[in-house]
Amino acid sequence: MISENISRIKSEIPDHVTLVAVSKYQSLEDTKAVLDAGVNDLGESKVQDFLKKYEVLGDRPRWHFIGHLQKNKVKYIIGKTFLIHSVDSIELIDVIERESKKQGIVTDVLLQLNLAREDSKSGILAENLDNVLEALPGYQFVRVKGLMAMGPLTQNNDKIREIFVELKKIYDRIKEESVDATIQMNYLSMGMTDDYTIAIEEGSNMIRVGRKIFS
Ligand SMILES: *Cc1c(COP(=O)(O)O)cnc(C)c1O
């Protein structure tokens, strides 16, 4: 089932789009099945669950941390992730900087935006983004590689599309204006099971898919 689901998704998406299989809540066995099906990017959203899988699978997959990250847990995941998608405050960046420096590594992250302004979601609000961007050149051990956002919780595809268009505009603007090495717009992480088709149409190059792979 898992391998068939993956084949179907891969046949639908262009080559330049990275498929991150969101393995949160899935057993180790099912997580391994994803790797065996040829998908090497795994998304986890809870530090404890991630560490359990990391113990067994190590650096074989590229690990994407996509859940809300508490500052006191940063130290457990630094050095293990390919990308942290859910960076949403200067305070969190400070902690990632400190923990990365200790290990002598640069940690790649995405800034998560809350464009739909939903209270239930974390993420930087549009009006606060410039403050975060202006602070970034001071960091040596954190590199912003792009942006992440979730579509709004609605069945209305126009509303979903609106948010993705807005995110792409911000991504392009930063890409154009940024001259500092701490800000490189390489990844636009948008699109999940219900909305990745729209997200890709609007410029996503990284989708995070859970249910459609595991059900
Ligand atoms: C759970 C989750 C996903 C995957 O969602 P599906 O609807 O199962 O595809 C993607 N991104 C984030 C941030 C998530 O928490």
Side-chain angles (χ1 to χ4, degrees), residues 22 24 45 66 148 150 192-194 208-212:
V22 176
K24 68 179 186 196
S45 65
I66 62 171
M148 185 272 253
M150 289 200 250
M192 315 188 347
T193 291
D194 291 329
R208 311 176 309 273
V209 179
R211 283 170 297 141
K212 194 164 179 178

Side-chain angles (χ1 to χ4, degrees), residues 171-212:
Y171 178 84
D172 287 340
R173 173 176 67 84
I174 299 173
K175 193 172 189 146
E176 215 166 273
E177 291 175 358
S178 165
V179 288
D180 193 88
T182 53
I183 308 173
Q184 303 169 8
M185 289 293 114
N186 296 138
Y187 300 112
L188 183 55
S189 171
M190 59 183 194
M192 315 188 347
T193 291
D194 291 329
D195 55 22
Y196 71 79
T197 310
I198 303 173
I200 292 170
E201 284 168 5
E202 300 306 337
S204 167
N205 62 15
M206 185 169 267
I207 58 174
R208 311 176 309 273
V209 179
R211 283 170 297 141
K212 194 164 179 178

Side-chain angles (χ1 to χ4, degrees), residues 20 23 40 49 59-60 67 69 77 86 94 100 108-109 116 122 131 154 215:
V20 177
S23 53
N40 211 35
D49 297 346
D59 290 321
R60 179 179 162 205
L69 181 56
I77 72 166
S86 43
D94 280 336
S100 303
D108 286 337
V109 307
S122 34
N131 277 339
T154 168
S215 57

Side-chain angles (χ1 to χ4, degrees), residues 94-134:
D94 280 336
V95 179
I96 296 173
E97 169 87 354
R98 196 171 67 222
E99 295 299 329
S100 303
K101 184 177 182 179
K102 276 189 202 161
Q103 295 191 29
I105 59 166
V106 175
T107 299
D108 286 337
V109 307
L110 305 181
L111 297 178
Q112 179 176 357
L113 301 191
N114 183 0
L115 294 178
R117 312 185 77 84
E118 289 171 320
D119 289 341
S120 57
K121 287 186 184 134
S122 34
I124 301 164
L125 295 172
E127 64 268 29
N128 297 331
L129 178 60
D130 281 341
N131 277 339
V132 176
L133 291 172
E134 280 162 23

Side-chain angles (χ1 to χ4, degrees), residues 35-169:
L35 298 175
D36 292 339
V39 172
N40 211 35
D41 291 274
L42 298 180
E44 288 288 330
S45 65
K46 296 255 182 332
V47 170
Q48 281 311 325
D49 297 346
F50 166 43
L51 293 175
K52 267 190 213 143
K53 288 178 183 170
Y54 185 86
E55 245 174 55
V56 181
L57 299 172
D59 290 321
R60 179 179 162 205
R62 299 201 300 190
W63 294 103
H64 297 249
F65 193 83
I66 62 171
H68 182 66
L69 181 56
Q70 288 168 274
K71 292 192 278 291
N72 61 350
K73 296 203 171 149
V74 167
K75 57 178 176 285
Y76 301 116
I77 72 166
I78 291 302
K80 301 183 175 77
T81 55
F82 174 70
L83 264 183
I84 302 173
H85 291 228
S86 43
V87 169
D88 61 358
S89 71
I90 292 281
E91 291 73 24
L92 181 57
I93 296 172
D94 280 336
V95 179
I96 296 173
E97 169 87 354
R98 196 171 67 222
E99 295 299 329
S100 303
K101 184 177 182 179
K102 276 189 202 161
Q103 295 191 29
I105 59 166
V106 175
T107 299
D108 286 337
V109 307
L110 305 181
L111 297 178
Q112 179 176 357
L113 301 191
N114 183 0
L115 294 178
R117 312 185 77 84
E118 289 171 320
D119 289 341
S120 57
K121 287 186 184 134
S122 34
I124 301 164
L125 295 172
E127 64 268 29
N128 297 331
L129 178 60
D130 281 341
N131 277 339
V132 176
L133 291 172
E134 280 162 23
L136 283 170
Y139 292 88
Q140 282 179 277
F141 300 92
V142 179
R143 193 163 49 191
V144 171
K145 300 286 280 183
L147 304 178
M148 185 272 253
M150 289 200 250
L153 256 183
T154 168
Q155 308 288 352
N156 183 335
N157 284 348
D158 293 338
K159 287 249 158 60
I160 295 171
R161 191 179 296 277
E162 230 169 73
I163 293 293
F164 289 156
V165 167
E166 193 183 343
L167 187 65
K168 177 64 159 59
K169 273 194 196 141

